[in-house]
Each structure stands twice: as structure tokens, then as C-alpha cells.
Amino acid sequence: MNRALNTARFISFEGGEGAGKSTVITAAADALRALGQTVLLLREPGGTAVGEAVRAVLLNPELRGLCAESELLLMMASRAQLVRECILPALERGDWVLCDRFTDASFAYQGGGRGIDAGRIAELERWVAGIRPGLSFLLDLPVETGLARAGSRAAPDRIEAESITFFERVRATYRARAAADPARWCVVDARQPAADVAAAVVLRLNQQVEAQR
């Protein structure tokens, strides 16, 4: 894998349930395209035929017995395919890649949420992904607010059905990672109206575009 690859155009969007990532990613993609940029939209787990098949397993509410280690390895398997099939080729072309979650999600969900050692996740991250986004947005909001939003949608999937304490650990891990690496992270208050959240993200993204000119 090309470790010297420029990842400044690789942008991830992170956050707990109900944070509004889909709306914000759409706005970010529209803003980039308005500037004449080529954009690839991806999601995790998923984004490829292999990844979507893995996603169906991971989110299946009937598979509540899936152990934490299996969950992590399935996430990483989907990610391995996504990196090699989609992300690296796009970055090599000079395209922008906007991804709904990336490896930080494993630190938050399988690490903070499930209790898997962060060092083990980091080892897999280095081997499976080999890259990190150049910019990561954390759409942050209180867990109960996010779950209330998510609860207004369809029936919960296997992960959405977890406890509030699980999601509190997820949020705490995300916030700790963002605080430890402020150069990469942009934390946005997702309690705001969706239009305001999107505007804050687009403003920061425009700065990233200018830095690439």
C-alpha cells in the first residue's frame, strides 16, 4: 500500500446514532461538486459488494449473539475491501472521498462500546487500512438526543438496539480521540438544526479545498 499517498482529500464523518451524518455528507458532496471537484461517497460497513454483504450480517438484529471479536473482524474485512477497491484508486486519481465512518468508528464502537483493547484495534488498523482520513468530522450530541432522533426511523438494527450506557462509552471515546488529535478532527455540535451543522462542515471543508490548491 502506498504510504506516501496524499490523504488530504479523504474525509470521514463520525458520530453516534441520530447525529445526522447522511444529511451532512450530502451537503458536503454538493459543495465540493459546486467547486468542480469529483467526489466519491462511501459508507461503512459497506461501499462494495463484499462490504454490503458483511453489513447485512453486522446489522442483522437476529444475530444478537455475535461476539465483540467477530464484530471487529467483520468490520475490518469490509474496510479492507473498501480501501483497496474504492478509496485508494479514488485518491490516486485525485478525487475527494467522503466516507460515512472509518477506522475511528471501530475504536469508538468495538473499543469504547465493546471493550476491545485499543492497541489491538490499532494493530488491525495499520494492517487492514494503512491510511487515515486527512480530516474527520465528529458530529457530537448527547446520546439520549441522538437515540430519540434515531428512534423515529425504522426498527433498530443490531447495534442501534444497544443500551444507553453502551452509546455513552462510544461518545466518550469519540470525544477523547478528537481531543487527542485536534489537527485532524473538527467537532461540530450536532444539536443544532441540520442546516447549521451542514454549514459548519462546509465552511471547514472549503478550508481543506483551499489548502489543496
Side-chain angles (χ1 to χ4, degrees):
M1 191 173 295
N2 182 7
R3 304 285 177 171
L5 190 71
N6 178 13
T7 60
R9 297 185 179 215
F10 179 22
I11 315 296
S12 67
F13 296 79
E14 302 283 354
E17 311 309 307
K21 290 187 280 68
S22 298
T23 300
V24 170
I25 292 172
T26 298
D30 289 345
L32 285 171
R33 288 171 180 143
L35 295 173
Q37 303 297 320
T38 301
V39 182
L40 177 63
L41 293 177
L42 298 170
R43 70 174 182 177
E44 279 207 332
T48 66
V50 170
E52 292 298 326
V54 173
R55 181 185 182 91
V57 173
L58 282 164
L59 302 186
N60 187 341
E62 297 181 3
L63 300 179
R64 295 302 300 273
L66 189 68
C67 71
E69 291 80 6
S70 292
E71 181 178 282
L72 173 62
L73 291 171
L74 284 168
M75 289 285 187
M76 288 293 182
S78 174
R79 188 168 291 137
Q81 193 71 25
L82 189 69
V83 167
R84 288 152 183 82
E85 186 175 326
C86 301
I87 296 175
L88 291 181
L91 293 177
E92 287 166 356
R93 292 192 301 267
D95 298 345
W96 289 80
V97 177
L98 306 185
C99 196
D100 185 342
R101 303 194 190 282
F102 198 59
T103 52
D104 294 291
S106 281
F107 287 95
Y109 280 80
Q110 287 79 56
R114 304 290 188 209
I116 294 179
D117 179 71
R120 181 62 53 85
I121 299 172
E123 182 181 358
L124 287 169
E125 178 188 41
R126 286 189 295 270
W127 176 48
V128 169
I131 58 172
R132 280 184 175 173
L135 173 63
S136 295
F137 289 99
L138 174 58
L139 307 186
D140 182 57
L141 78 170
V143 169
E144 290 190 358
T145 303
L147 291 178
R149 290 181 182 176
S152 65
R153 305 194 300 248
D157 61 37
R158 189 182 65 84
I159 294 178
E160 288 173 341
E162 285 294 340
S163 67
I164 289 179
T165 56
F166 172 89
F167 290 114
E168 291 286 4
R169 296 194 298 270
V170 169
R171 184 190 186 199
T173 303
Y174 268 135
R175 289 164 65 95
R177 289 184 67 76
D181 190 5
R184 175 165 72 92
W185 287 90
C186 176
V187 181
V188 180
D189 184 354
R191 294 172 298 180
Q192 305 174 85
D196 293 342
V197 175
V201 167
V202 169
L203 179 63
R204 176 63 183 86
L205 190 56
N206 285 339
Q207 296 171 358
Q208 192 82 348
V209 173
E210 286 300 316
Q212 289 297 296
R213 294 189 186 279

